[in-house]
Amino acid sequence: MTEPLDDILPDDLRAFVAAWLEGREGPAVPGVLDLSPTRMVLRVEGEGGTEVLKLDRRRGLRERLKRLVRGSPLAAEGRRLAEARARGLPCAAPLGHARRPGLEVLRLADLGPGRDLGSWLRDPSRDRGAAREALGAAGALLARAFAGGLVHGDLHLGNLHRAEDGGLALLDLHAARFARGPHRPGPRELRPLYLSLPWPEDEALRRALFAPIGLDPSPRALERWRRTWLSRRLVRCLRDSGSFRRRGRLIQRRELALERADLEDLAATGEPLKAGRRGAVLRTADGILKLRRTDRALAHWLAAEGLALRRVPSPRALAFLGGRRGTALVLSQELRGARPLDALAPGEALAAAADLGRSLGRLHGTGWRFRDARGDNFLVARGRVHLVDLEGVRALRPWARGRAEAADLGRLHAWLTAQAPPALAAAAPVLGRGFLRAYLRERRALGRPERALRSFVRRIGLRSARWKRAHQGRHDGGAGSGAT
């Protein structure tokens, strides 16, 4: 290492970094900007002012071989930052690079107070006008960078720093390079940039970002990008959800400190809520615990992950524990104070119908469906409609699209007209119109518009009538029976 690490770090951070290098949890300290098992970013006070230190350590033979072939990523980032500044692009100034076996440090000048543009945009209090203005500035900066030949390699809104005065700077140029002439970005570069926009994407915000670059992806390309991203994220969800122990088959959220014995104790002491052929449902101090067949329990976890990725309101799955006899436990968040959709007054149900239309439109627009759309499978909490029984959440088969979507909405229509309380059944035409408007608007925004609307509505009616005929013996009380 060209300079000792202790000479760079202040006293209060040395113990923290030493614990990190040994794989232990160190004492909480200020100045930590990012932390993972292999990467740390710190803000420290240096001789010339505030500095940012990027520490990188690689474990395992594969990572060491990759470094031998590709070279040091932090050293490459320092060179790219220097070249970008020489070309007039705003970014942090590199101050030095140091190395010792198993550890590298890159010293950078601090860009000052601020946050990455992606997290700034996701702030729920953010004004739409300010968001559009910030994205327009980001598009202008990227257009300038592309004209200067920059090929970023890891382009998304999280890699743009927004200062408190609104100024923008480029971040994380470890995978960047410079072409000989102006660079025209392709779909592979634009996809992560588009997917880092607030979800669900807003056409006005998208145009504000892409218009200065001179590109506007087609709706079909946007829909394909979303589908690919969602499927990849779902495959990774077991790894990203926290701990996965193959022997005990325990999957849990990182912030939830549970062991196998803890879940078994919850199952033994929980308050029974429901029992049937599919398993039991218990209320515990930590949430709602469901006992299911292992394959269905894991499908429930994946469904909850998929809904979270799509920003469809649903109780969060917290832990999964596979058993020895083909059964498993799934612990989910409890929605305290929530009410079933079929318990709402018509006035309240009108807003809920529009919100449910947006959720189901987003679900269908991103290639998933909900087969059991009925009143007691939706809970209303804090003004949002949550899907709570995830047995019917699954991927749409490509050959069944259209028919499956109409079947879902036909089931919802059958519940509203044949099973809902009388007041809701009487308001069915008004509720249906509000629902359908929100549903179609969401589908259109996601690049999956319903082009044959009359035919689609007719199919919904046919599926609704088919369901009523098939269940006439079980639900022969007609509208207002309240059966579930």
Side-chain angles (χ1 to χ4, degrees):
M1 192 167 181
T2 56
E3 51 185 318
L5 186 60
D6 288 348
D7 292 349
I8 302 175
L9 293 173
D11 295 340
D12 59 340
L13 286 174
R14 290 176 188 171
F16 181 81
V17 173
W20 174 72
L21 290 173
E22 296 173 5
R24 298 184 287 109
E25 185 175 349
V29 293
V32 180
L33 304 180
D34 189 19
L35 182 64
S36 74
T38 60
R39 184 173 181 268
M40 182 190 296
V41 183
L42 303 169
R43 179 180 281 123
V44 300
E45 289 295 330
E47 295 180 358
T50 308
E51 298 179 3
V52 170
L53 301 183
K54 300 182 77 169
L55 286 74
D56 185 54
R57 64 176 182 138
R58 296 294 170 181
R59 297 177 295 182
L61 178 61
R62 180 180 178 182
E63 293 296 335
R64 291 196 295 270
L65 291 175
K66 187 186 297 185
R67 186 171 300 235
L68 286 174
V69 174
R70 299 181 181 178
S72 163
L74 288 187
E77 182 173 3
R79 293 193 297 271
R80 300 294 180 270
L81 287 169
E83 187 171 359
R85 289 179 63 82
R87 295 177 182 235
L89 298 177
C91 59
L95 302 178
H97 172 258
R99 177 189 298 176
R100 77 178 188 198
L103 176 68
E104 288 187 71
V105 181
L106 178 63
R107 296 174 53 212
L108 302 172
D110 188 17
L111 290 172
R115 57 197 293 196
D116 70 87
L117 183 57
S119 64
W120 184 84
L121 287 169
R122 287 191 296 272
D123 190 328
S125 63
R126 188 67 53 227
D127 176 69
R128 277 177 52 83
R132 193 182 304 113
E133 182 180 350
L135 285 170
L141 171 59
L142 293 177
R144 191 171 125 213
F146 294 146
L150 177 66
V151 183
H152 192 286
D154 190 18
L155 186 59
H156 55 82
L157 296 177
N159 277 341
L160 291 175
H161 178 270
R162 184 185 185 277
E164 291 184 341
D165 62 359
L168 297 173
L170 298 167
L171 298 174
D172 284 352
L173 300 186
H174 61 278
R177 61 182 178 85
F178 283 91
R180 293 184 177 179
H183 169 62
R184 181 174 178 81
R188 187 179 293 272
E189 282 181 89
L190 294 179
R191 183 174 67 190
L193 179 63
Y194 163 70
L195 292 172
S196 63
L197 284 166
W199 183 276
E201 74 290 347
D202 185 305
E203 184 177 358
L205 296 183
R206 188 191 79 231
R207 291 185 181 278
L209 176 63
F210 281 98
I213 304 174
L215 297 167
D216 190 12
S218 68
R220 184 177 293 275
L222 298 179
E223 194 267 338
R224 186 173 62 252
W225 291 353
R226 278 192 304 273
R227 190 171 64 245
T228 302
W229 180 80
L230 287 167
S231 62
R232 288 180 179 176
R233 284 294 303 164
L234 191 60
V235 168
R236 292 171 52 194
C237 79
L238 295 184
R239 184 182 71 192
D240 290 349
S241 296
S243 64
F244 175 41
R245 304 174 192 174
R246 188 177 301 277
R247 180 176 297 177
R249 287 184 291 176
L250 172 65
I251 311 167
Q252 66 186 54
R253 297 285 177 188
R254 286 191 178 93
E255 65 270 21
L256 192 69
L258 279 178
E259 298 293 338
R260 181 186 182 92
D262 297 328
L263 278 178
E264 291 174 343
D265 288 344
L266 289 177
T269 60
E271 174 193 353
L273 295 180
K274 187 168 60 174
R277 59 183 176 81
R278 292 187 299 182
V281 182
L282 310 170
R283 175 181 283 118
T284 73
D286 291 294
I288 300 297
L289 191 64
K290 293 187 176 184
L291 177 64
R292 291 285 188 266
R293 222 171 58 194
T294 300
D295 57 341
R296 289 186 175 179
L298 191 54
H300 180 103
W301 178 278
L302 294 174
E305 289 284 341
L307 293 178
L309 288 172
R310 289 162 170 79
R311 304 288 175 90
V312 173
S314 175
R316 192 179 189 193
L318 302 174
F320 165 89
L321 176 64
R324 297 184 179 88
R325 298 182 179 177
T327 59
L329 299 172
V330 179
L331 181 67
S332 299
Q333 175 189 21
E334 182 179 5
L335 297 175
R336 300 187 182 276
R339 292 187 294 163
L341 185 61
D342 52 9
L344 299 183
E348 299 173 296
L350 188 59
D355 187 65
L356 180 58
R358 286 189 290 271
S359 291
L360 291 186
R362 197 176 309 162
L363 203 62
H364 288 168
T366 53
W368 273 27
R369 64 176 301 193
F370 186 50
R371 293 183 59 186
D372 201 10
R374 63 185 192 189
D376 61 341
N377 281 342
F378 302 110
L379 290 183
V380 181
R382 297 181 293 277
R384 301 301 309 274
V385 180
H386 294 70
L387 281 64
V388 293
D389 190 345
L390 306 187
E391 298 284 345
V393 175
R394 61 193 61 186
L396 275 169
R397 305 297 183 187
W399 59 86
R401 286 180 178 173
R403 296 195 305 274
E405 295 157 354
D408 290 353
L409 301 193
R411 175 67 182 98
L412 183 61
H413 182 268
W415 164 77
L416 181 60
T417 55
Q419 294 178 266
L424 288 183
V430 177
L431 296 176
R433 283 195 294 271
F435 170 90
L436 195 59
R437 278 197 297 269
Y439 173 87
L440 295 173
R441 189 182 304 119
E442 195 70 21
R443 288 275 303 268
R444 186 164 54 250
L446 292 169
R448 290 281 305 280
E450 183 54 57
R451 304 188 185 281
L453 182 57
R454 289 188 179 181
S455 175
F456 184 60
V457 171
R458 186 167 59 251
R459 285 201 304 271
I460 294 173
L462 292 173
R463 295 306 296 254
S464 174
R466 182 186 303 178
W467 189 92
K468 292 176 189 176
R469 287 195 302 271
H471 296 79
Q472 189 171 11
R474 293 168 53 192
H475 305 291
D476 55 359
S481 66
T484 57

